[in-house]
PDB file of all heavy atoms in Angstrom:
ATOM      1  N   PHE A  16       3.551  42.263 -18.835  1.00 33.00           N
ATOM      2  CA  PHE A  16       2.598  41.497 -18.028  1.00 33.00           C
ATOM      3  C   PHE A  16       1.284  41.590 -18.732  1.00 33.00           C
ATOM      4  O   PHE A  16       1.238  41.505 -19.917  1.00 33.00           O
ATOM      5  CB  PHE A  16       2.559  42.055 -16.633  1.00 33.00           C
ATOM      6  CG  PHE A  16       3.881  42.004 -15.997  1.00 33.00           C
ATOM      7  CD1 PHE A  16       4.542  43.177 -15.646  1.00 33.00           C
ATOM      8  CD2 PHE A  16       4.525  40.774 -15.836  1.00 33.00           C
ATOM      9  CE1 PHE A  16       5.817  43.109 -15.066  1.00 33.00           C
ATOM     10  CE2 PHE A  16       5.783  40.744 -15.266  1.00 33.00           C
ATOM     11  CZ  PHE A  16       6.426  41.888 -14.943  1.00 33.00           C
ATOM     12  N   VAL A  17       0.143  41.774 -18.109  1.00 34.00           N
ATOM     13  CA  VAL A  17      -1.091  41.885 -18.886  1.00 34.00           C
ATOM     14  C   VAL A  17      -2.169  42.595 -18.109  1.00 34.00           C
ATOM     15  O   VAL A  17      -2.187  42.606 -16.922  1.00 34.00           O
ATOM     16  CB  VAL A  17      -1.630  40.532 -19.228  1.00 34.00           C
ATOM     17  CG1 VAL A  17      -2.887  40.687 -19.992  1.00 34.00           C
ATOM     18  CG2 VAL A  17      -0.605  39.799 -20.034  1.00 34.00           C
ATOM     19  N   ALA A  18      -3.101  43.148 -18.777  1.00 35.00           N
ATOM     20  CA  ALA A  18      -4.209  43.767 -18.174  1.00 35.00           C
ATOM     21  C   ALA A  18      -5.472  43.331 -18.821  1.00 35.00           C
ATOM     22  O   ALA A  18      -6.066  44.063 -19.562  1.00 35.00           O
ATOM     23  CB  ALA A  18      -4.040  45.270 -18.292  1.00 35.00           C
ATOM     24  N   GLY A  19      -5.928  42.201 -18.626  1.00 36.00           N
ATOM     25  CA  GLY A  19      -7.121  41.818 -19.344  1.00 36.00           C
ATOM     26  C   GLY A  19      -7.908  40.797 -18.627  1.00 36.00           C
ATOM     27  O   GLY A  19      -7.666  40.368 -17.565  1.00 36.00           O
ATOM     28  N   GLY A  20      -8.948  40.318 -19.214  1.00 35.00           N
ATOM     29  CA  GLY A  20      -9.701  39.179 -18.875  1.00 35.00           C
ATOM     30  C   GLY A  20     -10.785  39.429 -17.865  1.00 35.00           C
ATOM     31  O   GLY A  20     -10.750  40.314 -17.090  1.00 35.00           O
ATOM     32  N   LEU A  21     -11.807  38.570 -17.893  1.00 30.00           N
ATOM     33  CA  LEU A  21     -12.876  38.682 -16.935  1.00 30.00           C
ATOM     34  C   LEU A  21     -13.253  37.279 -16.553  1.00 30.00           C
ATOM     35  O   LEU A  21     -13.526  36.496 -17.406  1.00 30.00           O
ATOM     36  CB  LEU A  21     -14.053  39.342 -17.556  1.00 30.00           C
ATOM     37  CG  LEU A  21     -14.462  38.696 -18.860  1.00 30.00           C
ATOM     38  CD1 LEU A  21     -15.973  38.844 -19.079  1.00 30.00           C
ATOM     39  CD2 LEU A  21     -13.690  39.292 -19.963  1.00 30.00           C
ATOM     40  N   VAL A  22     -13.313  36.933 -15.291  1.00 33.00           N
ATOM     41  CA  VAL A  22     -13.597  35.552 -14.989  1.00 33.00           C
ATOM     42  C   VAL A  22     -14.218  35.330 -13.665  1.00 33.00           C
ATOM     43  O   VAL A  22     -13.923  36.000 -12.716  1.00 33.00           O
ATOM     44  CB  VAL A  22     -12.290  34.794 -15.002  1.00 33.00           C
ATOM     45  CG1 VAL A  22     -12.619  33.328 -14.916  1.00 33.00           C
ATOM     46  CG2 VAL A  22     -11.568  35.110 -16.270  1.00 33.00           C
ATOM     47  N   LEU A  23     -15.093  34.354 -13.550  1.00 30.00           N
ATOM     48  CA  LEU A  23     -15.690  33.982 -12.294  1.00 30.00           C
ATOM     49  C   LEU A  23     -15.661  32.526 -12.013  1.00 30.00           C
ATOM     50  O   LEU A  23     -16.010  31.737 -12.858  1.00 30.00           O
ATOM     51  CB  LEU A  23     -17.157  34.419 -12.286  1.00 30.00           C
ATOM     52  CG  LEU A  23     -17.420  35.784 -11.628  1.00 30.00           C
ATOM     53  CD1 LEU A  23     -18.865  35.820 -11.308  1.00 30.00           C
ATOM     54  CD2 LEU A  23     -16.583  35.960 -10.429  1.00 30.00           C
ATOM     55  N   GLY A  24     -15.263  32.168 -10.798  1.00 34.00           N
ATOM     56  CA  GLY A  24     -15.227  30.760 -10.453  1.00 34.00           C
ATOM     57  C   GLY A  24     -16.666  30.258 -10.276  1.00 34.00           C
ATOM     58  O   GLY A  24     -17.483  30.854  -9.585  1.00 34.00           O
ATOM     59  N   ALA A  25     -16.952  29.145 -10.869  1.00 34.00           N
ATOM     60  CA  ALA A  25     -18.286  28.628 -10.825  1.00 34.00           C
ATOM     61  C   ALA A  25     -18.757  28.364  -9.401  1.00 34.00           C
ATOM     62  O   ALA A  25     -19.732  28.895  -8.943  1.00 34.00           O
ATOM     63  CB  ALA A  25     -18.409  27.353 -11.659  1.00 34.00           C
ATOM     64  N   ALA A  26     -18.009  27.512  -8.725  1.00 34.00           N
ATOM     65  CA  ALA A  26     -18.460  27.111  -7.398  1.00 34.00           C
ATOM     66  C   ALA A  26     -18.331  28.216  -6.401  1.00 34.00           C
ATOM     67  O   ALA A  26     -19.250  28.513  -5.645  1.00 34.00           O
ATOM     68  CB  ALA A  26     -17.660  25.899  -6.959  1.00 34.00           C
ATOM     69  N   ALA A  27     -17.172  28.900  -6.431  1.00 35.00           N
ATOM     70  CA  ALA A  27     -16.906  29.865  -5.353  1.00 35.00           C
ATOM     71  C   ALA A  27     -17.557  31.213  -5.579  1.00 35.00           C
ATOM     72  O   ALA A  27     -17.767  31.949  -4.660  1.00 35.00           O
ATOM     73  CB  ALA A  27     -15.416  30.038  -5.163  1.00 35.00           C
ATOM     74  N   CYS A  28     -17.844  31.571  -6.837  1.00 36.00           N
ATOM     75  CA  CYS A  28     -18.276  32.923  -7.125  1.00 36.00           C
ATOM     76  C   CYS A  28     -19.770  33.001  -7.421  1.00 36.00           C
ATOM     77  O   CYS A  28     -20.257  34.036  -7.763  1.00 36.00           O
ATOM     78  CB  CYS A  28     -17.516  33.511  -8.283  1.00 36.00           C
ATOM     79  SG  CYS A  28     -15.738  33.440  -7.982  1.00 36.00           S
ATOM     80  N   GLY A  29     -20.462  31.869  -7.352  1.00 35.00           N
ATOM     81  CA  GLY A  29     -21.893  31.895  -7.482  1.00 35.00           C
ATOM     82  C   GLY A  29     -22.405  32.099  -8.875  1.00 35.00           C
ATOM     83  O   GLY A  29     -23.557  32.460  -9.098  1.00 35.00           O
ATOM     84  N   GLU A  30     -21.554  31.977  -9.908  1.00 42.00           N
ATOM     85  CA  GLU A  30     -21.984  32.152 -11.301  1.00 42.00           C
ATOM     86  C   GLU A  30     -21.438  31.001 -12.103  1.00 42.00           C
ATOM     87  O   GLU A  30     -20.228  30.788 -12.150  1.00 42.00           O
ATOM     88  CB  GLU A  30     -21.468  33.478 -11.835  1.00 42.00           C
ATOM     89  CG  GLU A  30     -21.859  33.745 -13.247  1.00 42.00           C
ATOM     90  CD  GLU A  30     -21.422  35.114 -13.707  1.00 42.00           C
ATOM     91  OE1 GLU A  30     -21.680  36.087 -12.982  1.00 42.00           O
ATOM     92  OE2 GLU A  30     -20.728  35.200 -14.726  1.00 42.00           O
ATOM     93  N   ALA A  31     -22.302  30.246 -12.746  1.00 41.00           N
ATOM     94  CA  ALA A  31     -21.855  29.109 -13.519  1.00 41.00           C
ATOM     95  C   ALA A  31     -21.093  29.553 -14.746  1.00 41.00           C
ATOM     96  O   ALA A  31     -21.432  30.583 -15.319  1.00 41.00           O
ATOM     97  CB  ALA A  31     -23.063  28.284 -13.942  1.00 41.00           C
ATOM     98  N   PRO A  32     -20.048  28.844 -15.133  1.00 44.00           N
ATOM     99  CA  PRO A  32     -19.299  29.201 -16.336  1.00 44.00           C
ATOM    100  C   PRO A  32     -20.222  29.213 -17.515  1.00 44.00           C
ATOM    101  O   PRO A  32     -21.113  28.373 -17.661  1.00 44.00           O
ATOM    102  CB  PRO A  32     -18.238  28.077 -16.456  1.00 44.00           C
ATOM    103  CG  PRO A  32     -18.067  27.623 -15.069  1.00 44.00           C
ATOM    104  CD  PRO A  32     -19.423  27.720 -14.440  1.00 44.00           C
ATOM    105  N   LYS A  33     -20.006  30.189 -18.404  1.00 46.00           N
ATOM    106  CA  LYS A  33     -20.789  30.259 -19.601  1.00 46.00           C
ATOM    107  C   LYS A  33     -20.304  29.199 -20.565  1.00 46.00           C
ATOM    108  O   LYS A  33     -19.135  29.174 -20.907  1.00 46.00           O
ATOM    109  CB  LYS A  33     -20.684  31.625 -20.237  1.00 46.00           C
ATOM    110  CG  LYS A  33     -21.656  31.853 -21.343  1.00 46.00           C
ATOM    111  CD  LYS A  33     -21.799  33.359 -21.613  1.00 46.00           C
ATOM    112  CE  LYS A  33     -22.870  33.609 -22.673  1.00 46.00           C
ATOM    113  NZ  LYS A  33     -23.134  35.045 -22.810  1.00 46.00           N
ATOM    114  N   ASP A  34     -21.149  28.318 -20.994  1.00 43.00           N
ATOM    115  CA  ASP A  34     -20.766  27.172 -21.804  1.00 43.00           C
ATOM    116  C   ASP A  34     -21.400  27.302 -23.168  1.00 43.00           C
ATOM    117  O   ASP A  34     -22.605  27.294 -23.292  1.00 43.00           O
ATOM    118  CB  ASP A  34     -21.242  25.904 -21.119  1.00 43.00           C
ATOM    119  CG  ASP A  34     -20.391  24.681 -21.538  1.00 43.00           C
ATOM    120  OD1 ASP A  34     -19.767  24.802 -22.586  1.00 43.00           O
ATOM    121  OD2 ASP A  34     -20.390  23.696 -20.786  1.00 43.00           O
ATOM    122  N   GLU A  35     -20.591  27.499 -24.196  1.00 42.00           N
ATOM    123  CA  GLU A  35     -21.112  27.628 -25.543  1.00 42.00           C
ATOM    124  C   GLU A  35     -20.431  26.589 -26.401  1.00 42.00           C
ATOM    125  O   GLU A  35     -19.462  26.858 -27.105  1.00 42.00           O
ATOM    126  CB  GLU A  35     -20.851  29.016 -26.086  1.00 42.00           C
ATOM    127  CG  GLU A  35     -21.508  30.117 -25.249  1.00 42.00           C
ATOM    128  CD  GLU A  35     -21.326  31.486 -25.833  1.00 42.00           C
ATOM    129  OE1 GLU A  35     -21.049  31.576 -27.058  1.00 42.00           O
ATOM    130  OE2 GLU A  35     -21.494  32.461 -25.130  1.00 42.00           O
ATOM    131  N   ASN A  36     -20.915  25.366 -26.336  1.00 41.00           N
ATOM    132  CA  ASN A  36     -20.285  24.292 -27.050  1.00 41.00           C
ATOM    133  C   ASN A  36     -21.023  23.992 -28.347  1.00 41.00           C
ATOM    134  O   ASN A  36     -22.218  23.947 -28.392  1.00 41.00           O
ATOM    135  CB  ASN A  36     -20.295  23.008 -26.206  1.00 41.00           C
ATOM    136  CG  ASN A  36     -19.521  23.235 -24.898  1.00 41.00           C
ATOM    137  OD1 ASN A  36     -18.623  24.085 -24.868  1.00 41.00           O
ATOM    138  ND2 ASN A  36     -19.871  22.510 -23.856  1.00 41.00           N
ATOM    139  N   ALA A  37     -20.252  23.740 -29.369  1.00 39.00           N
ATOM    140  CA  ALA A  37     -20.837  23.398 -30.677  1.00 39.00           C
ATOM    141  C   ALA A  37     -19.824  22.564 -31.446  1.00 39.00           C
ATOM    142  O   ALA A  37     -19.143  23.071 -32.335  1.00 39.00           O
ATOM    143  CB  ALA A  37     -21.220  24.625 -31.424  1.00 39.00           C
ATOM    144  N   GLY A  38     -19.683  21.336 -31.077  1.00 40.00           N
ATOM    145  CA  GLY A  38     -18.677  20.498 -31.715  1.00 40.00           C
ATOM    146  C   GLY A  38     -19.304  19.402 -32.536  1.00 40.00           C
ATOM    147  O   GLY A  38     -20.497  19.190 -32.560  1.00 40.00           O
ATOM    148  N   SER A  39     -18.453  18.721 -33.286  1.00 40.00           N
ATOM    149  CA  SER A  39     -18.934  17.567 -34.087  1.00 40.00           C
ATOM    150  C   SER A  39     -19.068  16.372 -33.184  1.00 40.00           C
ATOM    151  O   SER A  39     -18.592  16.363 -32.053  1.00 40.00           O
ATOM    152  CB  SER A  39     -17.939  17.294 -35.223  1.00 40.00           C
ATOM    153  OG  SER A  39     -16.760  16.733 -34.668  1.00 40.00           O
ATOM    154  N   ALA A  40     -19.706  15.353 -33.708  1.00 43.00           N
ATOM    155  CA  ALA A  40     -19.909  14.146 -32.922  1.00 43.00           C
ATOM    156  C   ALA A  40     -18.801  13.159 -33.202  1.00 43.00           C
ATOM    157  O   ALA A  40     -18.925  11.956 -33.002  1.00 43.00           O
ATOM    158  CB  ALA A  40     -21.280  13.560 -33.242  1.00 43.00           C
ATOM    159  N   GLY A  41     -17.700  13.663 -33.720  1.00 54.00           N
ATOM    160  CA  GLY A  41     -16.610  12.771 -34.164  1.00 54.00           C
ATOM    161  C   GLY A  41     -15.685  12.321 -33.084  1.00 54.00           C
ATOM    162  O   GLY A  41     -16.033  11.495 -32.247  1.00 54.00           O
ATOM    163  N   GLY A  42     -14.432  12.883 -33.072  1.00 70.00           N
ATOM    164  CA  GLY A  42     -13.386  12.385 -32.199  1.00 70.00           C
ATOM    165  C   GLY A  42     -13.533  12.858 -30.760  1.00 70.00           C
ATOM    166  O   GLY A  42     -14.535  13.405 -30.345  1.00 70.00           O
ATOM    167  N   LYS A  43     -12.462  12.631 -29.995  1.00 87.00           N
ATOM    168  CA  LYS A  43     -12.423  13.003 -28.594  1.00 87.00           C
ATOM    169  C   LYS A  43     -12.470  14.531 -28.457  1.00 87.00           C
ATOM    170  O   LYS A  43     -11.807  15.268 -29.183  1.00 87.00           O
ATOM    171  CB  LYS A  43     -11.138  12.483 -27.971  1.00 87.00           C
ATOM    172  CG  LYS A  43     -11.010  12.761 -26.485  1.00 87.00           C
ATOM    173  CD  LYS A  43      -9.704  12.218 -25.941  1.00 87.00           C
ATOM    174  CE  LYS A  43      -9.582  12.467 -24.452  1.00 87.00           C
ATOM    175  NZ  LYS A  43      -9.574  13.874 -24.112  1.00 87.00           N
ATOM    176  N   LYS A  44     -13.305  14.990 -27.609  1.00 95.00           N
ATOM    177  CA  LYS A  44     -13.449  16.431 -27.397  1.00 95.00           C
ATOM    178  C   LYS A  44     -12.220  17.002 -26.722  1.00 95.00           C
ATOM    179  O   LYS A  44     -11.613  16.387 -25.852  1.00 95.00           O
ATOM    180  CB  LYS A  44     -14.689  16.722 -26.538  1.00 95.00           C
ATOM    181  CG  LYS A  44     -16.023  16.339 -27.179  1.00 95.00           C
ATOM    182  CD  LYS A  44     -16.211  17.152 -28.454  1.00 95.00           C
ATOM    183  CE  LYS A  44     -17.561  16.820 -29.103  1.00 95.00           C
ATOM    184  NZ  LYS A  44     -17.719  17.482 -30.402  1.00 95.00           N
ATOM    185  N   TYR A  45     -11.874  18.209 -27.151  1.00 98.00           N
ATOM    186  CA  TYR A  45     -10.762  18.946 -26.589  1.00 98.00           C
ATOM    187  C   TYR A  45     -11.378  20.201 -25.933  1.00 98.00           C
ATOM    188  O   TYR A  45     -11.967  21.067 -26.634  1.00 98.00           O
ATOM    189  CB  TYR A  45      -9.725  19.353 -27.614  1.00 98.00           C
ATOM    190  CG  TYR A  45      -8.515  20.041 -27.046  1.00 98.00           C
ATOM    191  CD1 TYR A  45      -7.417  19.295 -26.601  1.00 98.00           C
ATOM    192  CD2 TYR A  45      -8.428  21.414 -26.931  1.00 98.00           C
ATOM    193  CE1 TYR A  45      -6.277  19.932 -26.051  1.00 98.00           C
ATOM    194  CE2 TYR A  45      -7.336  22.057 -26.390  1.00 98.00           C
ATOM    195  CZ  TYR A  45      -6.246  21.306 -25.942  1.00 98.00           C
ATOM    196  OH  TYR A  45      -5.135  21.909 -25.409  1.00 98.00           O
ATOM    197  N   ASN A  46     -11.299  20.310 -24.622  1.00 98.00           N
ATOM    198  CA  ASN A  46     -11.982  21.394 -23.913  1.00 98.00           C
ATOM    199  C   ASN A  46     -11.041  22.554 -23.654  1.00 98.00           C
ATOM    200  O   ASN A  46     -10.082  22.451 -22.906  1.00 98.00           O
ATOM    201  CB  ASN A  46     -12.501  20.864 -22.557  1.00 98.00           C
ATOM    202  CG  ASN A  46     -13.513  19.764 -22.752  1.00 98.00           C
ATOM    203  OD1 ASN A  46     -14.453  19.864 -23.501  1.00 98.00           O
ATOM    204  ND2 ASN A  46     -13.297  18.619 -22.045  1.00 98.00           N
ATOM    205  N   ALA A  47     -11.355  23.686 -24.321  1.00 98.00           N
ATOM    206  CA  ALA A  47     -10.572  24.912 -24.174  1.00 98.00           C
ATOM    207  C   ALA A  47     -11.433  25.880 -23.295  1.00 98.00           C
ATOM    208  O   ALA A  47     -12.501  26.249 -23.690  1.00 98.00           O
ATOM    209  CB  ALA A  47     -10.254  25.539 -25.516  1.00 98.00           C
ATOM    210  N   CYS A  48     -10.868  26.326 -22.187  1.00 98.00           N
ATOM    211  CA  CYS A  48     -11.602  27.083 -21.224  1.00 98.00           C
ATOM    212  C   CYS A  48     -10.875  28.407 -20.942  1.00 98.00           C
ATOM    213  O   CYS A  48      -9.640  28.445 -20.894  1.00 98.00           O
ATOM    214  CB  CYS A  48     -11.736  26.294 -19.904  1.00 98.00           C
ATOM    215  SG  CYS A  48     -12.407  24.634 -20.132  1.00 98.00           S
ATOM    216  N   MET A  49     -11.626  29.463 -20.762  1.00 98.00           N
ATOM    217  CA  MET A  49     -11.042  30.797 -20.602  1.00 98.00           C
ATOM    218  C   MET A  49     -11.501  31.455 -19.326  1.00 98.00           C
ATOM    219  O   MET A  49     -12.708  31.449 -19.003  1.00 98.00           O
ATOM    220  CB  MET A  49     -11.382  31.676 -21.794  1.00 98.00           C
ATOM    221  CG  MET A  49     -10.792  33.085 -21.754  1.00 98.00           C
ATOM    222  SD  MET A  49     -11.201  33.997 -23.240  1.00 98.00           S
ATOM    223  CE  MET A  49     -12.248  35.272 -22.577  1.00 98.00           C
ATOM    224  N   VAL A  50     -10.543  32.032 -18.591  1.00 98.00           N
ATOM    225  CA  VAL A  50     -10.852  32.830 -17.426  1.00 98.00           C
ATOM    226  C   VAL A  50     -10.531  34.284 -17.759  1.00 98.00           C
ATOM    227  O   VAL A  50      -9.426  34.590 -18.139  1.00 98.00           O
ATOM    228  CB  VAL A  50     -10.027  32.373 -16.193  1.00 98.00           C
ATOM    229  CG1 VAL A  50     -10.294  33.278 -15.010  1.00 98.00           C
ATOM    230  CG2 VAL A  50     -10.353  30.930 -15.834  1.00 98.00           C
ATOM    231  N   THR A  51     -11.507  35.152 -17.599  1.00 95.00           N
ATOM    232  CA  THR A  51     -11.256  36.571 -17.872  1.00 95.00           C
ATOM    233  C   THR A  51     -10.885  37.298 -16.600  1.00 95.00           C
ATOM    234  O   THR A  51     -11.103  36.833 -15.503  1.00 95.00           O
ATOM    235  CB  THR A  51     -12.505  37.244 -18.459  1.00 95.00           C
ATOM    236  OG1 THR A  51     -13.460  37.354 -17.427  1.00 95.00           O
ATOM    237  CG2 THR A  51     -13.094  36.445 -19.615  1.00 95.00           C
ATOM    238  N   ASP A  52     -10.346  38.464 -16.776  1.00 89.00           N
ATOM    239  CA  ASP A  52     -10.130  39.276 -15.590  1.00 89.00           C
ATOM    240  C   ASP A  52     -11.352  40.134 -15.373  1.00 89.00           C
ATOM    241  O   ASP A  52     -12.397  39.943 -16.045  1.00 89.00           O
ATOM    242  CB  ASP A  52      -8.854  40.092 -15.693  1.00 89.00           C
ATOM    243  CG  ASP A  52      -8.945  41.345 -16.548  1.00 89.00           C
ATOM    244  OD1 ASP A  52     -10.047  41.541 -17.138  1.00 89.00           O
ATOM    245  OD2 ASP A  52      -7.998  42.106 -16.628  1.00 89.00           O
ATOM    246  N   VAL A  53     -11.277  41.104 -14.485  1.00 88.00           N
ATOM    247  CA  VAL A  53     -12.452  41.865 -14.096  1.00 88.00           C
ATOM    248  C   VAL A  53     -12.958  42.801 -15.208  1.00 88.00           C
ATOM    249  O   VAL A  53     -13.981  43.420 -15.042  1.00 88.00           O
ATOM    250  CB  VAL A  53     -12.167  42.652 -12.811  1.00 88.00           C
ATOM    251  CG1 VAL A  53     -11.931  41.692 -11.633  1.00 88.00           C
ATOM    252  CG2 VAL A  53     -10.944  43.563 -12.982  1.00 88.00           C
ATOM    253  N   GLY A  54     -12.238  42.907 -16.292  1.00 83.00           N
ATOM    254  CA  GLY A  54     -12.682  43.794 -17.368  1.00 83.00           C
ATOM    255  C   GLY A  54     -13.972  43.323 -18.024  1.00 83.00           C
ATOM    256  O   GLY A  54     -14.681  44.115 -18.623  1.00 83.00           O
ATOM    257  N   GLY A  55     -14.204  42.015 -18.031  1.00 85.00           N
ATOM    258  CA  GLY A  55     -15.418  41.517 -18.601  1.00 85.00           C
ATOM    259  C   GLY A  55     -15.312  41.057 -20.002  1.00 85.00           C
ATOM    260  O   GLY A  55     -14.492  41.553 -20.804  1.00 85.00           O
ATOM    261  N   ILE A  56     -16.158  40.103 -20.378  1.00 91.00           N
ATOM    262  CA  ILE A  56     -16.115  39.497 -21.720  1.00 91.00           C
ATOM    263  C   ILE A  56     -16.522  40.501 -22.784  1.00 91.00           C
ATOM    264  O   ILE A  56     -16.131  40.370 -23.953  1.00 91.00           O
ATOM    265  CB  ILE A  56     -17.036  38.259 -21.797  1.00 91.00           C
ATOM    266  CG1 ILE A  56     -16.731  37.387 -23.003  1.00 91.00           C
ATOM    267  CG2 ILE A  56     -18.513  38.662 -21.777  1.00 91.00           C
ATOM    268  CD1 ILE A  56     -15.418  36.638 -22.893  1.00 91.00           C
TER     269      ILE A  56
END
């Protein structure tokens, strides 16, 4: 199974997702999103 990750729901948990985007202005964006567990980033 697993023991990892840290994550907070934006709307329900009162903390906006951390957004660190740096892509090219080329093709269609592919959005990869990560939810951590309580261990923290």
Side-chain angles (χ1 to χ4, degrees):
F16 303 116
V17 179
L21 51 149
V22 190
L23 263 200
C28 304
E30 180 177 308
K33 190 161 185 173
D34 205 339
E35 300 184 19
N36 299 333
S39 70
K43 182 181 181 296
K44 294 298 181 186
Y45 185 87
N46 299 311
C48 308
M49 182 177 114
V50 176
T51 71
D52 79 355
V53 294
I56 197 70

